[in-house]
Amino acid sequence: AQKITQTQPGMFVQEKEAVTLDCTYDTSDQSYGLFWYKQPSSGEMIFLIYQGSYDEQNATEGRYSLNFQKARKSANLVISASQLGDSAMYFCAMREGGKLIFGTGTRLQVFP
Amino acid sequence: DAGITQSPRYKITETGRQVTLMCHQTWSHSYMFWYRQDLGHGLRLIYYSAAADITDKGEVPDGYVVSRSKTENFPLTLESATRSQTSVYFCASSEWTGYNSPLHFGNGTRLTVT
């Protein structure tokens, strides 16, 4: 069974608009961490934001925020005020048992 | 500059050859990982290591061998390369195993097996 599911293979958003990238996860652990990574066309993996399973507040890092709904097992990434440089692949990942498990990613394209 | 470096960046090899991908980190992180990235699959874990001389299989270990004699190095060897191992390989490290510890990635090695 898929541990991390990203149902949006591709998304388009206009510059300066907000966009939400979906992520659902499956685990029976009580302690886990949820991460989002960005992979631009240059190929490197860039850590964006983290949410712990016990965190009551949604994580925020600049223009990135994580909409964490524990009961629904979802951890959606919200990018506010999109910029052309946000065009990239975005991966949701979950850390459990020491390992980081990735979803298949969403390709975001920001247009002017 | 401290960080995690992979070499080579690009490698072309022939079917049946042995090839080793190198990974070196300067943070003294305990945990190190090897992933492969293929279209439609995201990143899949090949092997990981909790410390020197401790390694464990990930999701797709077949055809790969790892070793970790020193904390800072974690080479990945394809003993007899196959075309299905054409991929982008990422090495990563994390300071500890806790669920709140992010992985930091190298820039990847693009391997083509002909």
Side-chain angles (χ1 to χ4, degrees), chain A residues 32 37 39 50 54 95 98 100, chain B residues 35 37 97 99-101 103:
Chain A
Y32 53 89
Y37 283 82
Q39 186 179 42
Y50 157 80
Y54 296 111
R95 189 148 195 194
L100 192 64
Chain B
Y35 288 86
Q37 183 178 19
T97 185
Y99 63 85
N100 60 347
S101 180
L103 271 62

Side-chain angles (χ1 to χ4, degrees), chain B residues 57-68:
Chain B
K57 295 179 180 179
E59 183 185 358
V60 288
D62 293 344
Y64 304 95
V65 174
V66 293
S67 61
R68 193 156 176 219

Side-chain angles (χ1 to χ4, degrees), chain A residues 12-29:
Chain A
F12 289 89
V13 66
Q14 190 166 30
E15 202 176 5
K16 299 179 186 176
E17 297 293 310
V19 62
T20 298
L21 306 184
D22 294 342
C23 174
T24 58
Y25 61 92
D26 181 29
T27 183
S28 55
D29 284 1

Side-chain angles (χ1 to χ4, degrees), chain A residues 4-9 22-24 36 90-92 102-106:
Chain A
I4 297 284
T5 302
Q6 295 181 255
T7 57
Q8 306 154 315
D22 294 342
C23 174
T24 58
W36 278 90
Y90 289 82
F91 292 96
C92 180
F102 285 85
T104 53
T106 296

Side-chain angles (χ1 to χ4, degrees), chain A residues 9-92:
Chain A
M11 290 281 286
F12 289 89
V13 66
Q14 190 166 30
E15 202 176 5
K16 299 179 186 176
E17 297 293 310
V19 62
T20 298
L21 306 184
D22 294 342
C23 174
T24 58
Y25 61 92
D26 181 29
T27 183
S28 55
D29 284 1
Q30 297 300 309
S31 304
Y32 53 89
L34 297 156
F35 300 81
W36 278 90
Y37 283 82
K38 173 184 179 181
Q39 186 179 42
S41 57
S42 50
E44 69 268 32
M45 296 290 289
I46 302 167
F47 165 60
L48 293 178
I49 195 167
Y50 157 80
Q51 179 86 41
S53 57
Y54 296 111
D55 295 341
E56 295 184 353
Q57 304 250 3
N58 286 339
T60 60
E61 288 287 347
R63 293 185 299 110
Y64 303 109
S65 61
L66 204 154
N67 184 0
F68 181 46
Q69 298 186 47
K70 193 170 181 177
R72 298 179 64 181
K73 294 189 175 178
S74 74
N76 299 339
L77 177 70
V78 180
I79 305 174
S80 62
S82 297
Q83 302 172 355
L84 295 177
D86 293 335
S87 294
M89 281 289 287
Y90 289 82
F91 292 96
C92 180

Side-chain angles (χ1 to χ4, degrees), chain B residues 8-83:
Chain B
R9 286 299 309 274
Y10 303 93
K11 176 74 178 177
I12 300 174
T13 192
E14 294 178 343
T15 301
R17 298 239 178 179
Q18 182 180 76
V19 61
T20 296
L21 310 183
M22 305 302 293
C23 179
H24 176 79
Q25 52 106 354
T26 59
W27 290 306
S28 299
H29 283 174
S30 295
Y31 273 74
M32 296 189 75
F33 305 79
W34 275 106
Y35 288 86
R36 60 177 288 173
Q37 183 178 19
D38 305 289
L39 202 60
H41 290 279
L43 280 79
R44 291 181 293 175
L45 183 63
I46 304 171
Y47 270 96
Y48 62 106
S49 168
D53 297 323
I54 301 174
T55 62
D56 210 345
K57 295 179 180 179
E59 183 185 358
V60 288
D62 293 344
Y64 304 95
V65 174
V66 293
S67 61
R68 193 156 176 219
S69 56
K70 293 184 178 181
T71 300
E72 61 266 30
N73 296 324
F74 192 37
L76 176 73
T77 297
L78 289 67
E79 291 189 303
S80 178
T82 64
R83 288 185 180 157

